Amino acid sequence: IPLVGDPDKEISLRAVLALDNMGKLVDVVRDNTDANILSPALTALKSKGVKTEEALTAYEKHLQHPEGDVKRLAALALIQLAPARLQVDRLTDLMLTPNDEVRNAAGKLLRAKLSEKLANVTVKDLPMLREGLKNPVREFRLSFVDAIGSLKANGQEAALDLAGLLGAPGKDV
């Protein structure tokens, strides 16, 4: 297994392929914490589209890894291979990561999930919609602005909240 993390990329690649041929690559990802081993192993699993329950659980586990590259690979694997597994709160957290690739992919999925969730809002949902305008994630706020706008005249109660977004410094809406 140490060869997976070898600085020589060819040795690392061949070790990953050998483990994959043995059916042990998911085990390596599940049982390891070494970023030098996890990065090439996660890359291979993501590239192959491995989405067994065991692999998905391992991806979720590594969202908490201290190394940024491991988090990035785990997040992208989940976004691409199991988007239904990521709830709005997890996507919101991913939107706050410093990695552009993760932020963009999570933002796209977040917008889709929120659009679906907010498609049939009514005036009764206004308190929840107004609360959503306070979220620090831009895509989250945009989805709630759109949902309030879809209420047309019935959404007038939120007009002051929307007007507040117009002049707020640092708000990128």
Side-chain angles (χ1 to χ4, degrees):
I1 293 175
L3 291 178
V4 172
D6 197 280
D8 183 320
K9 297 299 178 196
E10 187 173 349
I11 290 174
S12 177
L13 177 61
R14 288 184 185 209
V16 166
L17 291 173
L19 285 166
D20 189 35
N21 287 339
M22 290 184 266
K24 295 295 183 185
L25 195 54
V26 172
D27 295 343
V28 168
V29 169
R30 182 192 64 222
D31 299 334
N32 252 288
T33 58
D34 183 342
N36 293 324
I37 292 171
L38 286 171
S39 290
L42 283 167
T43 299
L45 289 176
K46 182 175 133 325
S47 296
K48 285 187 62 180
V50 177
K51 51 184 173 180
T52 62
E53 183 60 33
E54 190 176 18
L56 296 175
T57 300
Y59 301 148
E60 286 176 331
K61 170 187 164 186
H62 292 303
L63 287 175
Q64 306 306 319
H65 197 278
E67 179 65 39
D69 193 49
V70 173
K71 285 183 192 179
R72 176 185 66 82
L73 290 165
L76 291 172
L78 282 168
I79 291 167
Q80 293 169 8
L81 303 174
R85 206 163 166 125
L86 292 167
Q87 300 303 314
V88 169
D89 59 336
R90 176 72 79 162
L91 288 168
T92 301
D93 290 343
L94 291 174
M95 290 295 305
L96 299 173
T97 66
N99 185 280
D100 288 339
E101 187 179 10
V102 171
R103 251 193 342 267
N104 291 336
K108 184 177 177 183
L109 182 56
L110 179 63
R111 282 189 301 276
K113 283 188 179 251
L114 286 174
S115 293
E116 183 181 304
K117 186 176 184 176
L118 299 174
N120 298 310
V121 294
T122 67
V123 94
K124 292 184 287 184
D125 298 314
L126 264 174
M128 177 267 300
L129 295 173
R130 292 173 76 183
E131 199 57 36
L133 295 174
K134 298 174 186 172
N135 191 288
V137 175
R138 177 181 185 271
E139 282 73 10
F140 202 93
R141 290 192 315 269
L142 285 171
S143 295
F144 279 79
V145 168
D146 290 344
I148 291 168
S150 74
L151 294 174
K152 299 183 179 167
N154 291 328
Q156 289 180 3
E157 182 184 320
L160 288 176
D161 297 310
L162 293 172
L165 291 175
L166 294 175
K171 297 280 185 181
D172 186 18
V173 178

